[in-house]
């Protein structure tokens, strides 16, 4: 008797194998696996959105909530109905107000989070990098703090794209900006190199996990 | 409709933004945030509907690859119906994630290892400049420092160079990026709240 | 000039690029490409260069080569045996396309090949003769109509139209376009004298470029004169012999001319032959031909039959006009000089009337019929067979022979033929016309060589004796310009002559039957297709063509090999990784030790976990995707195991990813319990699952502001806030810690930013994928995050600190280390290789 877990394992194994077939090249097996994945994911996400977003926040309160809450929820209900019109091009304009509310609230939240969660704390941390109490050696603090400060400043300058007219009718950044930006580019390269190593490590771990899954499937691993 | 959308975006945004600093607006802010959560859930459904329309059109018009679209729609409706019927928290629905979604996505991520390795090898052929060389050297250093050898670790590499690169040099760059992103988020959000940008289709 | 081309048949002006005349459908362009030679229209990117056309002789038809060879041989032989060669010997095989032309008297009813269209007097557009100028219009063979009025021409041609093929009908339908008749009509004009006064201008200034100039034989290249032209020169020399009774056509002319001569030996032998030349006006080109001939002794002008040709209006010419009603005009001019000219032109086919010579020789005196008959008809091509006379009437054959030689009757006939066509183009216009045309070098030299010719020309011949338009048949006229041109420009003999019409169109070095090179022709426009551009312009045009061609040329698919190599490289990398890592994983080796020291941020995370109060509510956010489930579970399990094992927290699980809830449940119910049986947390008792929190950062902020409002229900749609794990929790700050497991920088940043104000003193601990760790470190450095476990490397430190409990990191570590080392080796080796090859490629590209 084949157990459901074995069937699930075989199916997962086959899907993994079909995706791995992409190493040889694009092929129908890969496409089948991808389309199955997209279909299942979309259906699952739709079910999740219904049960874990609309139901607890809209449907359930509308059904069992107090009158005031139900009245207030009429607005998001209407907005949700209008937003659904976005799926049909002819009626997509009706969903614009709902999208406007989403974007407006999201922008406000992003602004608040960026200011309170990143800008001030990170600027403060850059300044605090020279806190002599953070390390036993003031020299180490100064060196590390200096590098961090240089890294932050030059990286920001690197993304400074203002330029002035140059000879020949072209535009060019100021020389000082160019020099600082070059240093910022070095810092960026180092940062991206570290990130690349992290991404490869994550992908390598995923590969190992898949191989481990195969080993487990065939009883070679644990 | 255009001005209604503009007014709604600015009004709701300002209320939520002011709510960060004015506690009195917290109830209104909470209400708007709840509305936003509901609309976000609805937007997810809109995305799924759009996917159904696109692939449904392919199937009805028998375009190239319609068989794949049919397979996608079949899987979509099956997962959605079973998900609606049983709920996403049901073990059988979670099994759907374990059997289909996790293997496929994890394998796609595994393929990325080969792709990244190949790309890193080809990088210096494509673009051999200072930044590329620094990038590759840093990556090699970090990869080598993240591994151990059969006889143990390489002390200075694991104990000094890797932390220093990661906590000093890379941190400076990362922080610069994060601050830059925050500044970009700030300006972009303000443009939306001022009505200069209307990504919701207000223009 | 380069934009249009004038049809040599009907005179219709056509665009230069059309192949056939829009009016009469005659071919305007050479037939074959490979034989176009240098006179062919310039092809894009081609710079005209001189070519030794003798090199192209092998491509000639066999019969033509033989004919040419015979011509050369005969030229050599005839130097020593002039007298013997006066008797034309029949050519055993059909020598050339003109052979037997004169015997077509009765063959006109037969289907005539197209090439004869240009030979047999297709009326050319009327052109005004410019007798005063030095520009000679070359008349294509057969273009001239019989000397006489157009009405006469019409009267002679119309009866034949019924039996004519279509091409003949076409030619007969346009008698008004006859050039020679017009020229002849003006032959007596004083302007002819003017032309005679300027012989240097006469034959050369208007000499047509060489497209149709016959290719000189190799033997003639040294002197720049083709053999057959030498023969003509020799004829000119022989014409200087006083006793020369017969034309020298049979002496020095090529075979094809010999063949022509064979039809008129009687004309050479007849006693009256010496007379006509004295009365025939010699065209300018013939004067220059004689005077400029470098290889011959300059004949005395008075001895030159051509010089003796009567000028226009001289009695002999008038005599010839007496037969105008019956004979073509040019025959009239010839016939006036001999009794044979009284031979009825009816014997001639009508189409030959314009081309046919006057019957000067009594039939009995013509020995040629036997010689002609001796020619085996089986060896003749069909067209030649058709040309072969059934019965060679003397009156038809004799005219041919006199034409060939510059002296004697031939000169007489030549002079009787309108050498200069009446051309509507004035002198200045003609200068413009020809000036706009780029003349070949040989022509240029010929022009420049004119003064010498003028000097050599006796005064009597050059001036006093006005040259009357010759009454040459059109096909004979075709010979003259070639002769003249070659004599005057020996250096340019290497120029190729391309047949532009007829069956030999496109061939180089064809017989001079097709005029245009040196014979005054009415079809200069036929060669006007040559670009009017200087060498520099042509070079620039060629450069432009090259540039444009480079732009439009398909780039070779060097990618094929590149793609193949890339694919092989990708396959090799895949194979190495899969085989090596699979072997390590399947073998379950634990050779590579875990890092002995955990990173500082990891230690901070461990410390933060250890600082969580016992049984405190802890919010665990599972914000990672299924793609990184392996890494995130491996990285999160040690910390969560330690947390659960040591702190026994009340866990609340939340996810901002739709699949996060399922992954969280997988983590809690499967992975964690597998790791440690003691960690078998029960849902609803030790932990609760909020499920999916929609809205991204808005949802996170909403949850931070009011968890109960944002997530009123649990994943199982239960009243989650009344569950045991969440007792006493209404705000975010009520959680003892917030642990975020994420593989995304954005997700971690969102939780950090949006919960910063609401989290209170609750520490945030992040377990991240290695790909997000570096970007989250600044938040650790800033103190916003209490600790960070990044990837397998960070989890290894946690696992090391977790009491030595072997976790998933240990199972993965060997393969992980091997994979990293493979990457390091591949990047170093491959990078160096590509660096070197890249530099080489760039250097090569720069050098190019």
């Amino acid at each position: 008797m084949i157990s459901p877990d074995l069937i699930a394992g075989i199916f997962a194994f086959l899907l993994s194998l079909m995706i791995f077939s992409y190493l040889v090249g694009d092929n129908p097996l890969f496409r089948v696996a991808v389309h199955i994945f997209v279909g299942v994911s979309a259906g699952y996400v739709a079910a999740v959105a219904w049960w874990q977003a609309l139901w607890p926040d809209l449907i359930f309160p509308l059904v069992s909530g107090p009158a005031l809450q139900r009245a207030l929820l009429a607005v998001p209900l209407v907005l949700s109905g209008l937003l659904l019109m976005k799926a049909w091009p002819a009626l997509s304009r009706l969903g614009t107000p709902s999208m406007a509310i989403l974007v407006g609230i999201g922008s406000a939240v992003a602004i608040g989070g960026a200011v309170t969660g990143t800008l001030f704390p990170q600027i403060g941390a850059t300044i605090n990098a020279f806190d002599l109490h953070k390390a036993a050696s003031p020299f180490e603090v100064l060196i590390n703090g200096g590098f961090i400060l240089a890294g932050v400043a030059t990286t920001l300058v690197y993304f400074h794209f203002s330029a002035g007219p140059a000879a020949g009718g072209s535009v060019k950044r100021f020389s000082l900006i160019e020099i600082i930006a070059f240093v910022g580019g070095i810092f960026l390269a180092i940062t991206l190199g570290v990130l690349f190593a992290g991404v490869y490590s994550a992908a390598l771990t995923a590969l190992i996990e898949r191989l481990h899954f195969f080993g487990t499937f065939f009883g070679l691993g644990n | 409709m255009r001005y209604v959308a503009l007014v709604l975006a600015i009004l709701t945004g300002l209320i939520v933004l002011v709510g960060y600093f004015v506690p009195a607006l917290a109830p209104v802010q909470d209400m708007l945030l709840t509305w936003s959560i509901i609309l976000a859930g609805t937007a997810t459904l809109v995305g799924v509907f759009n996917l159904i329309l696109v692939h449904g059109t392919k199937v009805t018009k028998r375009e190239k690859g319609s068989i794949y679209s049919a397979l996608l729609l079949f899987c979509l409706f099956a997962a959605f119906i079973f998900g609606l019927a049983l709920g996403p928290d049901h073990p059988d629905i979670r099994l759907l994630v374990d059997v289909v979604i996790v293997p496929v996505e994890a394998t796609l991520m595994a393929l990325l290892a080969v792709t990244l390795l190949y790309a890193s090898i080809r990088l210096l052929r494509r673009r051999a400049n200072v930044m590329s060389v620094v990038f590759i050297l840093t990556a090699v250093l970090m990869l080598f420092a993240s591994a151990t050898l059969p006889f143990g670790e390489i002390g200075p590499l694991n104990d000094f160079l890797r932390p220093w690169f990661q906590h000093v040099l890379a941190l400076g760059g990362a922080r610069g990026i994060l601050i830059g992103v925050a500044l970009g988020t700030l300006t972009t959000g303000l443009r939306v709240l001022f009505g200069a940008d209307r990504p919701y289709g207000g223009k | 000039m380069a934009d249009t081309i004038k049809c040599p048949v009907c005179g219709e002006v056509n665009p230069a690029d059309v192949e056939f005349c829009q009016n009469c459908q005659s071919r305007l362009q050479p037939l074959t490409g490979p034989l176009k030679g240098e006179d062919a229209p310039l092809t894009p990117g081609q710079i005209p260069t001189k070519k030794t056309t003798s090199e192209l002789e092998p491509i000639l038809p066999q019969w033509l080569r033989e004919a040419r060879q015979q011509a050369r041989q005969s030229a050599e032989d005839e130097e020593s045996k002039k007298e013997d060669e006066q008797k034309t010997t029949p050519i055993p095989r059909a020598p050339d396309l003109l052979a037997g032309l004169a015997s077509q008297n009765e063959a006109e009813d037969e289907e005539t090949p197209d090439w004869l269209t240009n030979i047999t007097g297709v009326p050319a557009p009327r052109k005004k003769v410019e007798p005063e100028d030095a520009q000679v219009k070359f008349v294509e063979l057969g273009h001239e109509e019989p000397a006489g009025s157009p009405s006469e021409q019409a009267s002679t041609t119309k009866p034949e139209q019924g039996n004519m093929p279509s091409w003949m009908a076409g030619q007969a339908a346009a008698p008004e376009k006859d050039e020679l008749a017009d020229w002849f009509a003006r032959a007596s004009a004083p302007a002819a004298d003017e032309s005679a006064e300027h012989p240097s201008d006469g034959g050369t200034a208007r000499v047509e470029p060489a497209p149709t100039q016959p290719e000189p034989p190799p033997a003639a290249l040294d002197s720049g004169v083709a053999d057959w032209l030498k023969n003509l020169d020799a004829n000119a020399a022989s014409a200087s012999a006083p006793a020369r009774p017969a034309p020298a056509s049979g002496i020095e002319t090529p075979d094809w001319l010999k063949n022509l001569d064979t039809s008129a030996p009687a004309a050479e032998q007849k006693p009256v032959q010496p007379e006509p030349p004295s009365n025939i006006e010699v065209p300018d080109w013939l004067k220059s031909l004689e005077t400029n001939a470098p290889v011959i002794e300059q004949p005395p002008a008075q001895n030159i039959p051509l010089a003796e040709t009567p000028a226009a209006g001289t009695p002999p010419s008038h005599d010839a006009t007496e037969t105008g009603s019956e004979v073509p005009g040019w025959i009239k001019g010839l016939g006036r000089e001999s009794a044979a000219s009284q031979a009825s032109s009816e014997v001639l086919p009508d189409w030959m009337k314009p081309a046919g010579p006057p019957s000067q020789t009594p039939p009995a005196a013509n020995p040629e019929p036997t010689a002609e008959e001796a020619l085996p008809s089986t060896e003749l091509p069909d067209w030649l067979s058709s040309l072969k006379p059934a019965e060679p009437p003397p009156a038809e054959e004799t005219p041919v022979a006199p034409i060939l030689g510059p002296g004697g009757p031939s000169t007489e006939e030549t002079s009787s033929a309108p050498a200069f066509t009446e051309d509507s183009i004035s002198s200045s216009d003609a200068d413009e016309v020809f000036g706009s045309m780029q003349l070949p070098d040989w022509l240029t030299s010929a022009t420049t060589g004119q003064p010498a010719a003028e000097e050599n020309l006796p005064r009597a011949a050059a001036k006093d004796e006005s040259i009357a338009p010759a009454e040459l048949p059109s096909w004979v006229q075709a010979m003259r310009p070639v002769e003249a041109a070659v004599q005057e420009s020996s250096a340019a003999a290497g120029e190729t002559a391309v047949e532009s019409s007829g069956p030999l169109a496109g061939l180089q070095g064809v017989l001079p039957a097709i005029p245009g090179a040196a014979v005054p022709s009415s079809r200069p426009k036929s060669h006007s297709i040559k670009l009017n551009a200087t060498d520099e312009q042509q070079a620039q045009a060629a450069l432009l063509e090259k540039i444009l061609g480079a732009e439009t040329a398909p780039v070779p698919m060097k990618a094929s090999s590149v793609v193949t190599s890339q694919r092989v490289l990708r396959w090799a990398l895949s194979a190495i990784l899969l085989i090596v890592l699979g072997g390590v994983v399947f073998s379950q080796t634990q050779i590579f030790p875990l890092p002995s020291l955990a990173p500082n941020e990891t230690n901070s995370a461990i410390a933060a976990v250890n600082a969580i109060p016992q049984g405190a509510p802890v919010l665990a956010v599972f914000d990672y995707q299924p793609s990184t489930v392996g890494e995130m579970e491996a990285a999160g399990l040690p910390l969560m195991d330690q947390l659960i094992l040591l702190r026994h927290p009340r866990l609340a699980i939340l996810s901002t990813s739709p699949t996060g809830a399922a992954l969280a449940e997988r983590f809690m119910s499967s992975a964690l319990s597998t790791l440690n049986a003691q960690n078998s947390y029960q849902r609803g008792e030790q932990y609760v699952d909020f499920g999916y929190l929609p809205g991204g950062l808005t949802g996170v902020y909403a949850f931070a502001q009011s968890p109960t409002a944002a997530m009123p229900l649990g994943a199982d749609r239960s009243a989650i806030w009344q569950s045991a794990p969440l007792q006493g929790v209404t705000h975010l700050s009520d959680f003892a810690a917030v642990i975020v497991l994420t593989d995304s920088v954005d997700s971690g940043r969102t939780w950090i930013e949006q919960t910063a104000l609401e989290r209170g003193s609750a520490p945030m601990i992040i377990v991240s994928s290695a790909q997000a760790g570096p970007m989250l470190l600044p938040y650790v450095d800033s103190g916003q995050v209490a600790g960070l476990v990044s990837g397998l490397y960070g989890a290894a430190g946690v696992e090391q600190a977790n009491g030595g409990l072997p976790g998933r990191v240990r199972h993965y570590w060997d393969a992980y280390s091997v994979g990293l080392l493979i990457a390091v080796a591949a990047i170093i080796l491959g990078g160096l290789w590509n660096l070197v090859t890249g530099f080489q490629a760039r250097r090569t590209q720069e050098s190019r």
Side-chain angles (χ1 to χ4, degrees), chain C residues 247-320:
Chain C
S249 60
I251 298 174
E252 297 181 1
T253 51
D255 295 338
W256 63 275
L257 290 178
K258 296 176 185 176
N259 190 31
L260 293 177
D261 294 339
T262 57
S263 61
E268 301 170 356
Q269 297 174 359
K270 64 183 179 180
V272 295
Q273 283 178 350
E275 299 176 1
S278 60
N279 296 326
I280 296 176
E281 179 180 356
V282 178
D284 294 339
W285 65 270
L286 281 178
K287 294 178 181 177
S288 60
L289 175 70
E290 297 164 359
T291 56
N292 293 334
V295 294
I296 60 176
E297 292 297 327
Q298 182 61 38
Q302 62 273 14
N303 294 331
I304 298 175
L306 291 177
E308 297 174 358
T309 55
T314 55
S317 62
H318 292 297
D319 293 340

Side-chain angles (χ1 to χ4, degrees), chain C residues 466-689:
Chain C
S466 61
I467 301 175
E471 295 179 353
L472 284 175
S474 59
W475 58 271
V476 179
Q477 295 182 32
M479 301 158 47
R480 297 177 299 170
V482 175
E483 183 181 22
V486 170
Q487 287 177 348
E488 295 171 358
S489 59
S490 60
E495 290 290 332
T496 59
V498 177
E499 186 64 38
S500 62
S501 62
L504 301 180
L507 293 178
Q508 291 178 338
V510 294
L511 295 174
I514 303 302
V519 176
S521 174
S522 63
R523 42 172 298 194
K525 280 76 176 179
S526 62
H527 312 295
S528 64
I529 55 177
K530 191 164 186 177
L531 286 177
N532 179 23
T534 64
D535 292 341
E536 183 181 2
Q537 289 172 334
Q538 291 174 0
Q540 293 173 351
L543 180 61
L544 179 61
E545 286 289 338
K546 188 180 298 182
I547 294 173
L548 294 178
E551 290 293 331
T552 57
V555 179
M557 289 291 292
K558 69 175 183 180
S560 58
S561 61
V562 174
V563 167
T564 302
S565 63
Q566 293 174 355
R567 187 172 297 174
V568 169
L569 175 61
R570 194 173 300 170
W571 288 347
L573 292 175
S574 304
I576 291 173
L577 285 176
L578 288 177
I579 293 173
V580 175
L581 296 184
V584 174
V585 169
F586 296 156
S587 62
Q588 303 179 40
T589 61
Q590 296 187 359
I591 300 175
F592 293 81
L594 293 175
S596 58
L597 295 177
N600 292 333
E601 64 273 14
T602 301
N603 291 327
S604 300
I606 295 173
V609 166
N610 290 334
I612 295 175
Q614 286 278 351
V618 172
L619 178 64
V621 179
F622 287 80
D623 267 359
Y624 56 85
Q625 300 298 320
S627 59
T628 56
V629 68
E631 183 189 21
M632 290 307 301
E633 288 182 351
L637 278 176
L639 190 68
M640 294 299 291
D641 176 68
Q642 188 172 1
L643 172 67
I644 292 173
L645 192 63
L646 300 178
R647 297 293 135 189
H648 305 291
R650 291 175 288 155
L651 287 176
I653 297 173
L654 182 66
S655 177
T656 59
S657 168
T659 56
L663 297 179
E665 196 63 34
R666 169 190 163 115
F667 185 95
M668 295 300 297
S669 63
S670 177
L672 199 58
S673 61
T674 303
L675 177 65
N676 191 348
Q678 299 177 359
N679 294 332
S680 57
Y681 262 38
Q682 297 299 317
R683 184 172 176 175
E685 297 179 4
Q686 286 92 10
Y687 77 96
V688 291
D689 190 356

Side-chain angles (χ1 to χ4, degrees), chain C residues 649-742:
Chain C
R650 291 175 288 155
L651 287 176
I653 297 173
L654 182 66
S655 177
T656 59
S657 168
T659 56
L663 297 179
E665 196 63 34
R666 169 190 163 115
F667 185 95
M668 295 300 297
S669 63
S670 177
L672 199 58
S673 61
T674 303
L675 177 65
N676 191 348
Q678 299 177 359
N679 294 332
S680 57
Y681 262 38
Q682 297 299 317
R683 184 172 176 175
E685 297 179 4
Q686 286 92 10
Y687 77 96
V688 291
D689 190 356
F690 285 109
Y692 168 56
L693 175 63
L697 56 88
T698 303
V700 172
Y701 180 67
F703 185 84
Q705 291 290 103
S706 176
T708 55
M711 300 294 289
L713 300 176
D716 54 358
R717 299 185 294 275
S718 62
I720 193 171
W721 294 105
Q722 282 76 40
S723 63
L726 292 179
Q727 290 300 318
V729 177
T730 55
H731 297 89
L732 185 61
S733 58
D734 292 334
F735 289 105
V738 177
I739 300 175
V740 178
L741 296 92
T742 181

Side-chain angles (χ1 to χ4, degrees), chain C residues 120-177:
Chain C
T120 55
V122 175
R126 178 182 298 274
K127 293 180 182 299
K128 294 180 180 179
V129 175
E130 295 175 348
E132 73 284 356
D133 70 359
Q135 299 172 341
V136 177
K137 293 298 184 182
F138 300 142
V139 182
E140 186 176 357
L141 264 177
H143 280 200
E144 74 283 7
E145 55 188 16
S149 65
S151 62
E152 294 173 355
Q153 171 68 18
S155 63
T156 56
T157 56
K158 282 179 181 178
E160 295 295 330
Q161 289 181 2
N163 298 328
M164 283 180 181
S166 58
W167 59 271
M168 290 295 291
Q171 77 176 44
E176 68 280 4
K177 293 184 178 181

Side-chain angles (χ1 to χ4, degrees), chain B residues 19-137:
Chain B
Y20 271 90
F21 313 102
V22 181
L25 289 177
V28 180
Q29 186 188 45
D30 290 345
M31 182 188 66
L32 291 176
L33 291 173
T34 303
W35 290 3
S36 179
I37 291 174
I38 295 170
L39 291 177
T42 307
T44 304
L45 293 180
V46 171
V48 175
F49 289 160
N50 187 58
L51 188 68
I52 293 172
L53 288 177
V54 170
H55 286 275
T57 304
K58 279 190 172 182
V59 172
T60 54
K61 291 185 177 179
R62 297 183 180 277
E63 294 179 2
K64 184 180 179 180
S66 59
I67 184 65
Y68 299 117
S69 298
L71 179 64
L72 185 148
L73 291 177
F74 172 79
C75 295
L76 190 151
F77 284 116
F80 181 64
I81 291 172
F82 280 104
L84 282 182
L86 303 176
D89 198 45
H90 194 275
D92 291 340
I93 301 300
R94 290 205 302 265
L95 186 64
L96 201 63
V97 176
D98 291 338
V99 170
V100 177
I101 298 177
V102 168
V104 171
E105 282 204 37
T107 310
L108 286 172
M109 185 71 177
L111 294 181
L112 187 62
V114 179
T115 304
L116 287 176
L117 190 56
Y118 172 78
S120 62
I121 290 174
R122 296 281 301 174
L123 175 64
L124 290 181
R125 185 179 180 87
R126 293 282 183 180
R127 183 179 300 176
N129 52 24
V130 176
M131 286 191 67
S132 299
V133 172
V134 172
F135 171 83
I136 285 295
L137 289 179

Side-chain angles (χ1 to χ4, degrees), chain A residues 83-122:
Chain A
L83 188 59
L84 285 176
M85 300 298 105
K86 279 284 184 184
W88 289 270
L91 304 175
S92 62
R93 290 185 57 202
L94 298 176
T96 301
S98 302
M99 288 298 297
I101 291 176
L102 269 177
V103 171
I105 294 175
S107 299
V109 172
I111 289 173
V115 172
T116 61
T118 297
L119 267 182
F120 292 159
Q122 292 303 313

